[in-house]
Amino acid sequence: MGAFTDLKAADGFPFPAYVAQPTGKAKGAVVVLQEIFGVNSHIRSVADGYAAEGFLAVAPSTFHRVKPGVELGYGENDMSAGFALKTAVEALPAPGVLQDIQAAIRHAAQGGKVGIVGYCWGGLLSWRSACLLDGLSAAVTYYGGGMTTPDEAARTPKVPVLSHFGKQDHWIPLDSVEAFRKAHPEVEVYVYPANHGFNCDQRGSYDAPSAKLARERSLAFFTKHLAA
């Protein structure tokens, strides 16, 4: 359904994004932010899924500033490689990868109001985007690693936010999720009987019922805030 296209950030940096077009007129647009595994087959399928629901979907390569063409699986070596790349991107001088996400939002705006959804590291970036970037109307985060830390929780979102977490997620302690919920009563927070990565059907932690419910909630949230 989709294809890669080149976008350009405000500093002139070119980078690829996977773009999936809906059939007919878009009812809004969704920027899809990758995990630490690149814009791989799972993230492309997520973008295709949003396009099938009528949204223009744009999935920027948020690793491109440190390494182009990254597409990892979910093994131990993939995990190590992805974590190293994420660390390298996070170490970039500000605004770093946020300017690439801003360019993706700008491109997505041709589809109408823009929402953003991110998974794992992408969930953290989705949260930061909701707080720092322009042109968004809604944001959804899936098990955003790091977003429940005091520094990140201190941010203030500029748009409505929906957040999904897993009860058995050993990367994101439940008490930090509860602290985040308390700090942000305006954010819709849901906790599922699942582990980190529960949305990804290519991972051992995939939980079909939780993924289905979270997707239904996300689609309803985007339809509410993005549909004209």
Side-chain angles (χ1 to χ4, degrees), residues 24-117:
K25 188 178 184 294
K27 62 180 182 183
V30 178
V31 172
V32 179
L33 298 183
Q34 62 171 73
E35 302 166 293
I36 60 168
F37 308 104
V39 183
N40 61 8
S41 59
H42 169 61
I43 293 299
R44 296 195 300 272
S45 75
V46 168
D48 289 343
Y50 276 106
E53 295 290 341
F55 297 97
L56 170 64
V58 180
S61 173
T62 48
F63 276 161
H64 200 71
R65 284 184 183 264
V66 296
K67 187 176 181 182
V70 176
E71 182 165 348
L72 299 171
Y74 297 94
E76 206 172 304
N77 290 342
D78 298 299
M79 196 81 73
S80 298
F83 187 78
L85 288 165
K86 174 232 175 188
T87 302
V89 174
E90 290 281 320
L92 291 170
V97 76
L98 285 176
Q99 57 197 321
D100 302 340
I101 298 170
Q102 186 68 74
I105 293 168
R106 204 163 50 241
H107 183 80
Q110 63 189 284
K113 288 182 180 177
V114 183
I116 194 164
V117 59

Side-chain angles (χ1 to χ4, degrees), residues 70-228:
V70 176
E71 182 165 348
L72 299 171
Y74 297 94
E76 206 172 304
N77 290 342
D78 298 299
M79 196 81 73
S80 298
F83 187 78
L85 288 165
K86 174 232 175 188
T87 302
V89 174
E90 290 281 320
L92 291 170
V97 76
L98 285 176
Q99 57 197 321
D100 302 340
I101 298 170
Q102 186 68 74
I105 293 168
R106 204 163 50 241
H107 183 80
Q110 63 189 284
K113 288 182 180 177
V114 183
I116 194 164
V117 59
Y119 303 82
C120 179
W121 176 49
L124 170 61
L125 292 176
S126 187
W127 169 247
R128 287 179 183 164
S129 298
C131 299
L132 300 170
L133 300 185
D134 298 320
L136 289 172
S137 294
V140 173
T141 72
Y142 276 77
Y143 32 86
M147 67 175 278
T148 61
T149 62
D151 282 355
E152 292 294 339
R155 301 185 191 274
T156 303
K158 301 196 277 187
V159 297
V161 177
L162 168 65
S163 290
H164 306 295
F165 295 99
K167 196 174 186 179
Q168 282 103 46
D169 190 336
H170 61 283
W171 297 104
I172 307 173
L174 208 52
D175 59 350
S176 75
V177 173
E178 290 309 318
F180 179 87
R181 192 202 297 265
K182 215 168 273 184
H184 290 284
E186 79 284 6
V187 174
E188 288 183 46
V189 175
Y190 291 101
V191 178
Y192 301 81
N195 211 321
H196 192 82
F198 69 77
N199 181 69
C200 179
D201 58 6
Q202 297 180 26
R203 300 176 76 163
S205 55
Y206 176 59
D207 186 275
S210 297
K212 181 175 183 289
L213 181 55
R215 187 171 189 270
E216 287 168 358
R217 285 170 169 162
S218 299
L219 284 168
F221 187 76
F222 280 140
T223 299
K224 175 184 175 183
H225 294 291
L226 306 183

